């Protein structure tokens, strides 16, 4: 059974930083793309960022470009989301996901983590 375990969420003031981590049990981890999504109550889960299996290609939704950075360490089976200059509108539950390509679409991902809460206060 594949497990994705997120960590690193919490409460931070606007302008602050957090780093989310997602450890995957899927082998070989380096064969799969990874994505980060987020959801706020009453809305659909939305794409945040994704990264190819090698880390050579990354994609971001427009609202986070220049502030959030996705990266991965295949030796540690872990993907990261560095979050800088956080805004209150970044408040959400953040989910990592594993799939065959770094897609924008939730349906392209096979496995999901349980989510970690990020709260940005104004």
């Amino acid at each position: 059974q594949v497990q994705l375990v997120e960590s690193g969420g919490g409460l931070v003031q606007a302008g602050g930083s957090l780093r989310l981590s997602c450890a995957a049990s899927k082998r070989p981890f380096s064969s799969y793309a990874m994505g980060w999504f987020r959801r706020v109550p009453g809305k659909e889960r939305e794409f945040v960022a994704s990264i190819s299996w090698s880390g050579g290609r990354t994609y971001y939704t427009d609202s986070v470009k220049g502030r959030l950075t996705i990266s991965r360490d295949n030796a540690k089976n872990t993907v990261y989301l560095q979050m800088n200059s956080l805004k209150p509108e970044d408040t959400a539950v953040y989910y990592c996901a594993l799939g065959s390509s770094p897609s924008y679409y939730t349906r392209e991902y096979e496995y999901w983590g349980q989510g970690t809460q990020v709260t940005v206060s104004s």
Side-chain angles (χ1 to χ4, degrees):
Q1 184 177 357
V2 175
Q3 287 189 316
L4 301 178
V5 181
E6 299 105 334
S7 60
L11 173 64
V12 65
Q13 288 187 332
S17 297
L18 285 173
R19 188 174 81 154
L20 306 184
S21 299
C22 172
S25 65
K26 183 68 172 176
R27 300 291 190 272
F29 176 73
S30 59
S31 295
Y32 295 91
M34 298 295 296
W36 285 98
F37 291 75
R38 64 188 180 189
R39 182 166 61 191
V40 298
K43 291 190 175 182
E44 295 292 321
R45 196 172 299 191
E46 67 170 358
F47 171 79
V48 176
S50 62
I51 188 167
S52 62
W53 64 271
S54 67
R57 291 178 291 143
T58 57
Y59 305 92
Y60 298 92
T61 193
D62 286 346
S63 63
V64 308
K65 287 180 180 177
R67 300 188 299 116
L68 275 58
T69 303
I70 189 170
S71 63
R72 65 189 295 161
D73 184 339
N74 286 341
K76 296 183 178 179
N77 284 18
T78 301
V79 64
Y80 304 98
L81 187 66
Q82 178 66 44
M83 311 171 73
N84 298 329
S85 302
L86 283 163
K87 303 176 181 180
E89 51 263 45
D90 294 317
T91 296
V93 177
Y94 284 73
Y95 300 87
C96 67
L98 181 148
S100 57
S101 66
S103 174
Y104 297 98
Y105 303 108
T106 58
R107 63 177 181 266
E108 299 294 326
Y109 291 86
E110 302 171 61
Y111 300 100
W112 292 82
Q114 81 288 352
T116 186
Q117 176 71 47
V118 171
T119 303
V120 184
S121 63
S122 58

